[in-house]
Amino acid sequence: MKIRNNKGFTLTETLLTVILVLLMTGAVAAGISIMNRTIRRIQNKANAEVLLSTTLTLISSDLKNTVAVVLDGEKKAEDGGETVKLLQIRENGTDAWIGIENDSSAAGSDAENGGIRKKYYTQTVNLKTGDREYQDTNISIGYVTKQAKTDTLYTTIGSITYSNHVLTIHDLEVKNTNDETQAKLDSFSVAALKID
C-alpha cells in the first residue's frame, strides 16, 4: 500500500503558476510603458500650449504698443491686409523699430536657442531722396527665454499683417525638434490704436 502526500504542489501546478505570474507581470509592464508614453505626450502638449500662450502674450504686448508700421510692398496677405516688415513700438517711453522674425537656428535640433526673436533696427533718412532706410543693429532678443521653454520645443511665426488699425498674427506655432507642430494658432488680431 502506497501512501500519497497531498500537502505539496505538483510540477504541473507549479509550472502553471509560474506561467500565470509571468503573463501578469508582462501585462503590467506593458501597461506601465503605455501609461508613461501617454503621460509624456500629454505633458509635451501642455508645455506646447503654455509656450504658445506665453509667446502670444509677449508679441501681443509689442503689437499693442505699435505707433507706426513699415509694410512689405512685395507681399500681399491672404486676409486683404498688407504684410508688415517692421514695427515702431513705444517701449518705456522710447520708440524703437523692430522686426518680429523666426530665428533661423531654430530648425531641427537647436530648439534651445531658437524661436521667434525681436530684432532691432535704426531708421535713417536719405538726405538726397528723403527716403527712410532701416539698418539692422545686430541686436535681437528672443521673445521666450530658455527658462520659459523646454529643450525640445520652439516657436515660429508665419507673418504679421496690418489693415485698418488692426495687426494680425498668422500661423503662430510651437514645434518640436523634429519640426512637428505641437500647438498652433491660425490667426490672432490686436487693435493697434496708437498708430496715427
Side-chain angles (χ1 to χ4, degrees):
M1 172 163 187
K2 235 180 181 181
I3 299 177
R4 206 169 170 171
N5 184 359
N6 289 331
K7 291 184 180 180
F9 295 106
T10 66
L11 181 60
T12 306
E13 291 171 331
T14 305
L15 284 174
L16 278 174
T17 303
V18 168
I19 290 171
L20 285 175
V21 168
L22 287 173
L23 287 173
M24 288 174 33
T25 303
V28 169
I32 289 172
S33 175
I34 290 169
M35 183 180 67
N36 282 338
R37 276 191 305 240
T38 302
I39 289 171
R40 205 172 313 117
R41 190 174 62 246
I42 290 170
Q43 188 176 22
N44 284 342
K45 181 71 172 167
N47 288 342
E49 292 291 338
V50 168
L51 182 57
L52 183 72
S53 175
T54 302
T55 304
L56 179 63
T57 300
L58 294 169
I59 292 174
S60 293
S61 175
D62 278 343
L63 296 183
K64 287 177 188 173
N65 291 317
T66 298
V67 294
V69 295
V70 174
L71 302 173
D72 187 344
E74 298 174 10
K75 297 180 183 176
K76 290 290 181 188
E78 293 177 15
D79 66 355
E82 294 190 61
T83 302
V84 173
K85 189 173 186 178
L86 297 175
L87 304 164
Q88 183 181 13
I89 60 171
R90 192 154 285 143
E91 291 182 315
N92 303 321
T94 306
D95 287 356
W97 285 96
I98 65 165
I100 299 174
E101 305 171 1
N102 292 318
D103 186 349
S104 59
S105 67
S109 62
D110 195 21
E112 181 181 339
N113 299 315
I116 302 170
R117 303 188 72 72
K118 182 190 316 187
K119 198 168 188 180
Y120 287 87
Y121 292 82
T122 58
Q123 178 191 47
T124 57
V125 177
N126 185 323
L127 296 177
K128 292 180 184 177
T129 64
D131 292 337
R132 294 180 178 167
E133 298 172 353
Y134 303 90
Q135 286 82 33
D136 185 349
T137 63
N138 294 321
I139 298 172
S140 67
I141 300 169
Y143 268 100
V144 181
T145 62
K146 290 179 186 178
Q147 291 81 13
K149 61 182 177 178
T150 67
D151 290 341
T152 60
L153 299 173
Y154 65 95
T155 54
T156 65
I157 189 168
S159 64
I160 298 174
T161 57
Y162 175 75
S163 179
N164 300 324
H165 293 287
V166 174
L167 289 160
T168 304
I169 301 167
H170 298 277
D171 299 325
L172 186 61
E173 296 181 325
V174 175
K175 294 185 175 188
N176 63 15
T177 52
N178 297 326
D179 283 336
E180 298 167 334
T181 301
Q182 301 298 303
K184 181 177 181 179
L185 180 65
D186 292 325
S187 66
F188 183 81
S189 297
V190 175
L193 301 177
K194 296 180 182 181
I195 296 177
D196 295 329

